[in-house]
């Protein structure tokens, strides 16, 4: 078995998700190569080479790959994939954008968001917003897979893989004329990244306004937590949508998840029900969130939050 | 410009699903079905493009069983001009659907194809990207804003951490995120009118494609149940439990 992992990176830094995808690759077994595609990615390649279990880092350094746009990146992967039995990426917006395109170019199915490896061709994945778990088997020669990163523990550092440049003369991806990157607007935050945080505190429609989300700041600071939101809070315009936890937002599985003013709709539960400990603070005793919460506090959040902050 | 919009019939998003006792699949007998929510957004965007004079014709398409014609009629009631049904009783997943859609793109030559970013049953998030690959067209996935600028398409995409704007050459494939628009409801007169709009039925064989899924579904299980927890009486008790019982503080 030979596995190629597409590394993800932002602002010159290797994304934490890559170490989780390598862990899934180790569960499959075999030689693991990591592809670092981008522009000026030498430092990212070095970081990838340190991941435990990686045997080789392949570097495609070219302006065409600067933002990992789907058209050039898929063409590159299509050119390289012939050497591999498995192609893996994180089920992030980057992996979800690029990998199905590669799969179709190779005329193979893709298996999305695996949460467990049963064998090199059999995997478990959630369907119906996480309300059922499917075990699926792929008979394709090349298995194209995205990985739900919260389901696999990141591999440690300590490896020293060889780093080598990919010969780009044979790929067609570098002459992309179909798509152009114009701009990016990223939400600035000093807090830990939502999908990687040890503690997440999320607010829902019950918060009442965007202003009231400040009530979560103090608690988040004390716990080193990331702040999330339910779709209701995002749709109501309280907070930007990149904070959304749920089927259509981010999937998180922190050690502690605190849901404040969130009823617990199916779509929200799909994004957080694998958290180790769930706390719900809600004034509605009947809210479905209490059915999954380990600790429930029936209280007005405007009284409970300041008290909680003062007692941490 | 002609716009093709793909819709899927899925279980209604409010339904709490049941797994069949033999674990072969999810039980869909006598369950409320509806148009996939992301597809509704795709139809709405296509209709808005027509209302703005950008699109000349909106064609709704689906791949699936006979009953999926209900969802095509819904799309027609919402403002699509005509519909094409690729009828099959096979279990179709993304690659098969993308192959059928690619043939329709070849036949219809649309300037733009709009799909939902994912179906809420299989949660694959693949079909639009695969269609783009098979047709050789550029893709704007997870779109929260779409602007046609002459021969180009500007797409604002929802990415981890924020928004990204890209420009694509037309024709192109777009998949919708929830925030692209708020779909309208079909009015009764429009539902009546939709019954008279043309709906073509084809088979995968007519299109010369194989749509059955090659990925074997071995087993479907309910997820591990979470144990119902305890209710605490005060913030003090909550902090104490988190510190001493759960040990997460």
């Amino acid at each position: 078995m030979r596995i190629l992992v597409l590394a993800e990176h932002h602002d010159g830094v290797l994304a934490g998700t890559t170490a989780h995808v390598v862990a899934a690759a180790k569960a499959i077994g075999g030689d693991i190569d990591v592809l670092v595609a981008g522009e000026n990615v030498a430092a990212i390649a070095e970081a990838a080479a340190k991941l435990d279990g990686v045997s080789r880092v392949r570097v495609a350094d070219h302006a065409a790959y600067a933002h990992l746009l789907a058209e050039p990146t898929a063409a590159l992967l299509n050119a390289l994939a012939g050497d591999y039995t498995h192609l893996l990426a994180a089920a992030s917006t980057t992996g979800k954008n690029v990998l199905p395109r590669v799969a179709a170019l190779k005329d193979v199915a893709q298996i999305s968001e695996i949460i467990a490896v049963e064998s090199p061709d059999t995997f478990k994945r959630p369907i119906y917003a996480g309300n059922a778990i499917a075990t699926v088997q792929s008979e394709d020669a090349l298995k194209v897979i995205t990985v739900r990163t919260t389901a696999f523990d990141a591999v440690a550092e300590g490896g020293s893989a060889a780093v080598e440049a990919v010969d780009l003369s044979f790929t067609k991806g570098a002459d992309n004329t179909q798509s152009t990157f114009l701009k990016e607007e990223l939400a600035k935050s000093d807090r830990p990244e939502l999908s990687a945080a040890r503690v997440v505190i999320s607010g829902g429609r019950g918060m009442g306004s965007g202003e009231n989300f400040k009530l979560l700041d103090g608690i988040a600071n004390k716990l080193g937590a990331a702040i999330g939101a339910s779709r209701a809070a995002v749709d109501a315009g309280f907070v930007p949508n990149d904070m959304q936890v749920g089927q259509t937002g981010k999937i998180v599985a922190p050690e502690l998840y605190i849901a404040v003013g969130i009823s617990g709709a199916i779509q929200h539960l799909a994004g957080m029900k694998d958290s180790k400990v769930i706390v719900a603070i809600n004034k509605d005793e009947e809210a479905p969130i209490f059915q999954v919460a380990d600790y429930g506090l029936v209280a007005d959040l405007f009284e409970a939050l300041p008290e909680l902050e003062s007692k941490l | 410009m002609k716009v093709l919009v793909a819709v899927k019939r899925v279980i209604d998003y409010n339904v709490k699903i049941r797994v069949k006792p033999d674990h072969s699949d999810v039980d869909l007998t006598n369950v409320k079905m509806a148009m996939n929510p992301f597809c509704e957004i795709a139809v709405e965007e296509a209709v808005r493009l027509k209302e703005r004079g950008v699109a000349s014709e909106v064609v709704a398409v689906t791949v699936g069983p006979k009953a999926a014609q209900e969802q095509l009629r819904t799309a027609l009631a919402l403002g699509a001009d005509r519909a094409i049904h690729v009828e099959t009783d096979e279990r179709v997943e993304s690659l098969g659907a993308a192959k059928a859609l690619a043939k329709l793109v070849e036949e219809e030559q649309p300037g733009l194809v709009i799909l939902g970013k994912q179906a809420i049953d299989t949660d694959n998030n693949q079909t639009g990207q695969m269609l783009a690959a098979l047709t050789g067209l550029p893709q704007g996935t997870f779109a929260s804003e779409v602007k046609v600028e002459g021969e180009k398409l500007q797409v604002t995409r929802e990415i981890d951490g924020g928004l990204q704007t890209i420009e694509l050459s037309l024709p192109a494939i777009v998949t919708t995120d929830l925030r692209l628009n708020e779909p309208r409801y079909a009015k009764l007169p429009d539902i009546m009118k939709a019954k008279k709009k043309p709906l073509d039925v084809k088979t995968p064989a007519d299109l010369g494609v194989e749509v059955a899924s090659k990925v074997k579904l071995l087993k479907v299980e309910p997820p591990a149940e979470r144990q119902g927890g305890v209710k605490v009486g005060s913030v003090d008790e909550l902090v104490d439990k988190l510190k001493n019982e759960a040990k997460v503080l």
Side-chain angles (χ1 to χ4, degrees), chain A residues 119-171:
Chain A
S119 75
D121 67 359
T122 306
F123 308 91
K124 282 188 191 287
R125 59 176 303 262
I127 54 175
Y128 292 90
N131 289 302
I133 307 297
T135 306
V136 293
Q137 186 175 35
S138 164
E139 290 171 347
D140 287 316
L142 172 69
K143 277 93 176 152
V144 176
I145 296 165
T146 60
V147 176
R148 179 171 288 186
T149 50
T150 53
F152 295 88
D153 291 333
V155 295
E157 293 193 353
S160 54
V163 177
E164 54 188 67
V166 173
D167 176 6
L168 294 177
S169 59
F170 70 96
T171 71

Side-chain angles (χ1 to χ4, degrees), chain A residues 272-278 291-294, chain B residues 223-229:
Chain A
M272 48 63 84
K273 69 181 160 58
D274 293 327
S275 305
K276 191 165 156 243
V277 174
I278 297 173
Q291 290 162 23
V292 300
D294 299 279
Chain B
E225 288 268 335
R226 271 197 93 92
Q227 294 300 319

Side-chain angles (χ1 to χ4, degrees), chain B residues 226-247:
Chain B
R226 271 197 93 92
Q227 294 300 319
V230 295
K231 289 219 173 100
V232 296
S234 67
V235 170
D236 283 320
E237 194 186 340
L238 177 63
V239 173
D240 175 67
K241 293 259 192 201
L242 289 176
K243 274 189 179 145
N244 300 317
E245 194 174 282
K247 300 191 195 315

Side-chain angles (χ1 to χ4, degrees), chain A residues 97 112 133 178 273 275 295, chain B residues 126 136 139 141 221 226 245:
Chain A
N97 189 34
S112 294
I133 307 297
Q178 290 188 306
K273 69 181 160 58
S275 305
Y295 301 105
Chain B
Q126 300 172 6
Q139 67 190 53
T141 52
E221 303 158 285
R226 271 197 93 92
E245 194 174 282

Side-chain angles (χ1 to χ4, degrees), chain A residues 176-197:
Chain A
N176 174 38
T177 56
Q178 290 188 306
S179 59
T180 317
F181 172 85
L182 295 183
K183 62 174 179 182
E184 227 163 51
E185 299 155 52
L186 299 181
K188 293 266 175 278
S189 171
D190 301 331
R191 300 190 192 286
E193 197 199 340
L194 192 52
S195 48

